[in-house]
Amino acid sequence: MADTLFNDVMILLGASVVAAALFRRLHLPPVLAYLAVGFLVGPHLAGWIGRPEELAFLSEFGLVFLLFSLGLEFSVPRMRALKTTVFGLGACQVAVCSGLFWALGSALGLSPAAALVAAGALGLSSTAIVTRELARWNELDSPHGHAAVGVLLFQDLAALLFLILIPAMAGDGSQLLSDLGLMLIKGLGLVAVMLMIGKWVLPFVFQEISRARSEELFVLTVLLVALFSAWLTHSLHLSMALGAFLAGMMLGESHFRHQIEADIRPFRDILLGLFFVSVGMLLDPQVLLAQWYWVVIGVACLLATKALLITGLARLSGRPLDSALRTGLVLSQGGEFGFALLALASQQRLMDNETVGLVVAIIIGSLVVTPSLIRHNQQLTRRLCRSTTPTQENPHTTAELSAATAPLSGHVIVCGFGRVGQTVGRFLTQEKLEWIAIDADPIRVHEAASAGEPVVFGDAQRLEILRALGIERARQVVITVNQLSHALAILRAIQPLELENLKVLVRTQDDADLETYKAAGATEVIPEVLEGSLMLVSHVLVNLEVPFRRVARSIQNAREARYSMLHGYFHGQQSQLTDKRGNPLLRRHPLTLTADAWACGRRLDDIALPEVCGILVSRVVRASGENLEEPTGDLTLACGDTLVLSGLADHIEEAETRLLTG
């Protein structure tokens, strides 16, 4: 048995590594890679996994650690603030969606019990995928992120109710009320116990552990807390994930929170990947091939119906249309608890295997689509909801926006009002310069405009919006959005106007796309990383009493040379080899010419390293110790010279070969 489990784990790890790397190259979410691995190696297709039920139990701990991490984000005070969402919007969503799906299932010929099981499975959403993808795109703290988490928490509670109802429907139902009452008492008791432990026990434990200054002991304690909370709820016949969430919530207010989150992340990611693999194993290709048309129709109807219903319920609860629509989109799929309900219903003979297989295929199909829906929910919302509710700070027509900006002339337009945009605005205000900002986040716009900032809601990629902001009269445009596609879209919207006196500044993370921005019409590109380096250098030189004018001239020369002086660095054992998009970074590498080197006695122009190898010689250190920065092409090399080569790693190898052997 141990050998079989070990073989299964090795197969899954190997397949997951290959699939995750491939899907990353294709810019697809890793969740899809894990689902594909489960489908391909599972019992229904390749049959390489000998004991899938044991892996399914192990994979549940991925959900445990995910909910524990989520609990760290939602502390007790924040949960109190979310109680209306959890028990208001969450309860309405489960009731309305399940009721509608039950009626539809009954109309399609299912028995009342089978229709209720299918309704429960389809009415729930995926806690694992939704919270993972929202965290991945930094949307957990957004209004729709809070609403989604609140609804998911109630769905986890509702799943327990369905798990009690299914055996009761298979029997005579005489124990239903007592079972429900017992579950409620257990749940309330569990919350009370966890609150007491979180208030009096856990702070003392972690304080003592931290004094030991042992990383190993701290990680073991975090694992113990997460798994103990899961074991406690499991022993009470409640959801393990619910107990883990409560434990994380107890620790959410402690100053150990960030360290705990960092320590738990590797275990969470690995086991959560295994969880998605186990979900992929449930998909039966025979059902998929025999009823593919019903699967496609079912997935489309499920996503559309839940999105519309949740959007409507969110609007009725007082949320803005865009926030309500985004909530509906991210919760429109089926959920992993649905698989547990369907498995139990099959065991109790409430549903036939063919119907169970069809519903499982529909849920998995919706899960496959979900990462893309969550990633692009903002863009989809913009297309579906072109305008927002008109307010004083949010003119909803270009005519109103034009009228509001008519007095401005020679002003600055700030595209994007995040951290950088707000900093720019503060300095412009300090210098009494006119400016106006535009941002696509309605909450941020409302908050800033209420505080008196000149910011409006809108899409800076649209030419008519830019014209309404008075771009023809503007002196400068500052693009602060940290996303290549978004910034380029704004530049391309400005380019046809051919405004010669307008300067366009673009803020970017690094200089990887500097030439792309320049080609699209940017006057200046300001890479944060390199500008931070220049700022540090200027402070160092000034503190060393180098004349300020000389410092300023050196910094300006570096900028005019497009930061070429800062390109490449000497790599070490722990150096990063690629940028955030996977492109190789420039590096610097010293090479000393030996006595028999081919390059000795030859001029740099004759060697032609830039033309032949794509390499620049940024410095030559003579054997005498003389340093020659940026040597000219007429320099004759001598034996013992050390050349500092700057370029890509494979090009440097070619340059070494040419310099040494010709």
Side-chain angles (χ1 to χ4, degrees), residues 72 75 198-199 201-211 213 218 222 247-263:
L72 293 172
S75 57
K199 185 174 182 179
V201 178
L202 290 182
F204 172 77
V205 170
F206 277 97
Q207 192 69 39
E208 292 300 316
I209 294 298
S210 64
R211 287 176 181 171
R213 299 185 180 276
F218 192 89
V222 171
M249 194 172 65
M250 297 303 103
L251 292 168
E253 284 296 295
S254 72
H255 55 276
F256 302 107
R257 169 192 153 192
H258 298 292
Q259 183 62 45
I260 292 171
E261 188 175 11
D263 289 338

Side-chain angles (χ1 to χ4, degrees), residues 59-266:
S59 68
E60 286 186 35
F61 289 105
L63 203 57
V64 167
F65 287 125
L66 175 68
L67 268 292
F68 181 76
S69 299
L70 188 63
L72 293 172
E73 296 288 337
F74 289 85
S75 57
V76 175
R78 292 181 67 182
M79 283 306 300
R80 287 174 184 157
L82 278 175
K83 63 180 182 296
T84 304
T85 302
V86 176
F87 297 102
L89 180 59
C92 290
Q93 183 274 323
V94 171
V96 172
C97 289
S98 299
L100 179 63
F101 291 137
W102 177 83
L104 182 61
S106 299
L108 291 174
L110 294 178
S111 66
L116 183 60
V117 173
L122 297 173
L124 303 177
S125 303
S126 174
T127 303
I129 291 184
V130 171
T131 54
R132 181 188 175 99
E133 292 299 308
L134 286 176
R136 183 184 179 196
W137 302 111
N138 296 318
E139 294 184 8
L140 269 178
D141 281 328
S142 64
H144 66 280
H146 285 178
V149 170
V151 171
L152 289 169
L153 288 176
F154 187 85
Q155 288 183 359
D156 290 348
L157 297 175
L160 302 177
L161 174 62
F162 282 113
L163 289 173
I164 292 174
L165 284 174
I166 290 173
M169 289 186 295
D172 57 7
S174 59
Q175 301 295 320
L176 179 60
L177 290 178
S178 61
D179 288 344
L180 289 175
L182 182 60
M183 184 194 73
L184 182 61
I185 293 172
K186 287 180 180 178
L188 293 175
L190 174 67
V191 171
V193 170
M194 295 299 291
L195 283 172
M196 288 187 290
I197 293 175
K199 185 174 182 179
W200 289 302
V201 178
L202 290 182
F204 172 77
V205 170
F206 277 97
Q207 192 69 39
E208 292 300 316
I209 294 298
S210 64
R211 287 176 181 171
R213 299 185 180 276
S214 169
E215 292 185 9
E216 180 182 358
L217 186 58
F218 192 89
V219 172
L220 285 173
T221 306
V222 171
L223 291 175
L224 176 63
V225 170
L227 295 176
F228 172 78
S229 59
W231 170 81
L232 184 61
T233 50
H234 182 67
S235 63
L236 295 173
H237 303 288
L238 299 174
S239 167
M240 290 197 298
L242 180 63
F245 178 83
L246 290 174
M249 194 172 65
M250 297 303 103
L251 292 168
E253 284 296 295
S254 72
H255 55 276
F256 302 107
R257 169 192 153 192
H258 298 292
Q259 183 62 45
I260 292 171
E261 188 175 11
D263 289 338
I264 209 74
R265 187 180 296 121

Side-chain angles (χ1 to χ4, degrees), residues 283-619:
L283 187 57
D284 190 342
Q286 292 184 351
V287 173
L288 196 61
L289 291 173
Q291 305 189 59
W292 65 267
Y293 45 90
W294 284 117
V295 174
V296 173
I297 293 172
V299 170
C301 290
L302 174 63
L303 294 172
T305 303
K306 287 186 73 174
L308 289 173
L309 287 176
I310 295 172
T311 299
L313 292 171
R315 282 290 286 156
L316 290 174
S317 68
R319 286 170 173 76
L321 179 58
D322 60 334
S323 177
L325 189 52
R326 294 178 76 175
T327 305
L329 287 172
V330 302
L331 292 175
S332 57
Q333 72 292 132
E336 56 276 343
F337 281 116
F339 302 129
L341 301 183
L342 292 167
L344 184 59
S346 179
Q347 292 173 7
Q348 300 289 338
R349 302 186 182 281
L350 292 177
M351 294 179 73
D352 59 82
N353 292 334
E354 185 177 353
T355 305
V356 169
L358 178 60
V359 178
V360 166
I362 290 172
I363 294 176
I364 292 179
S366 69
L367 295 180
V368 169
V369 178
T370 297
S372 296
L373 272 180
I374 295 177
R375 179 179 183 179
H376 301 293
N377 72 84
Q378 186 175 15
Q379 294 92 317
L380 290 171
T381 301
R382 286 178 186 170
R383 293 184 180 181
L384 296 172
C385 175
R386 289 290 182 183
S387 60
T388 59
T389 305
T391 62
Q392 275 188 329
E393 69 273 9
N394 183 26
H396 66 293
T397 67
T398 54
E400 292 177 4
L401 188 54
S402 297
T405 59
L408 297 178
S409 181
H411 57 292
V412 177
I413 299 175
V414 180
C415 300
F417 203 58
R419 173 180 56 84
V420 177
Q422 292 173 39
T423 301
V424 172
R426 287 168 194 156
F427 277 85
L428 292 172
T429 301
Q430 181 177 298
E431 296 298 325
K432 296 182 171 55
L433 295 169
E434 290 185 313
W435 63 281
I436 187 168
I438 180 170
D439 198 278
D441 188 327
I443 303 300
R444 181 183 296 149
V445 170
H446 176 77
E447 292 283 326
S450 299
E453 301 284 3
V455 56
V456 296
F457 176 85
D459 185 359
Q461 303 175 66
R462 295 167 56 188
L463 180 57
E464 64 270 23
I465 296 292
L466 292 173
R467 280 190 164 136
L469 291 170
I471 192 169
E472 287 93 346
R473 307 185 306 275
R475 185 176 173 185
Q476 195 170 112
V477 173
V478 182
I479 302 175
T480 68
V481 293
N482 190 22
Q483 190 175 2
L484 176 64
S485 58
H486 194 172
L488 288 177
I490 298 173
L491 287 169
R492 288 170 185 144
I494 297 173
Q495 214 168 22
L497 298 176
E498 297 182 354
L499 301 171
E500 295 181 1
N501 296 325
L502 180 70
K503 294 185 177 180
V504 183
L505 276 66
V506 179
R507 163 256 182 160
T508 182
Q509 188 70 28
D510 52 41
D511 65 336
D513 302 300
L514 189 145
E515 297 301 330
T516 305
Y517 285 121
K518 287 280 188 178
T523 310
E524 294 290 342
V525 180
I526 296 89
E528 285 187 348
V529 173
L530 301 185
E531 279 295 325
S533 300
L534 291 179
M535 184 62 67
L536 176 62
V537 167
S538 65
H539 282 282
V540 170
L541 295 179
V542 169
N543 287 335
L544 293 173
E545 299 181 355
V546 176
F548 182 76
R549 287 188 179 181
R550 191 191 304 173
V551 174
R553 185 167 60 250
S554 298
I555 298 298
Q556 187 58 34
N557 289 340
R559 289 178 178 139
E560 289 175 355
R562 296 190 179 182
Y563 307 97
S564 61
M565 186 183 196
L566 308 182
H567 289 171
Y569 64 100
F570 300 108
H571 282 224
Q573 186 176 4
Q574 314 239 338
S575 296
Q576 185 177 349
L577 301 179
T578 60
D579 63 16
K580 58 188 176 183
R581 283 179 288 278
N583 300 318
L585 292 172
L586 294 178
R587 60 187 301 172
R588 289 192 175 191
H589 176 69
L591 173 68
T592 301
L593 299 180
T594 58
D596 56 348
W598 174 82
C600 292
R602 287 182 167 84
R603 298 164 63 246
L604 282 176
D605 276 344
D606 298 332
I607 300 172
L609 288 179
E611 294 81 3
V612 177
C613 306
I615 287 293
L616 293 175
V617 179
S618 58
R619 183 192 307 162

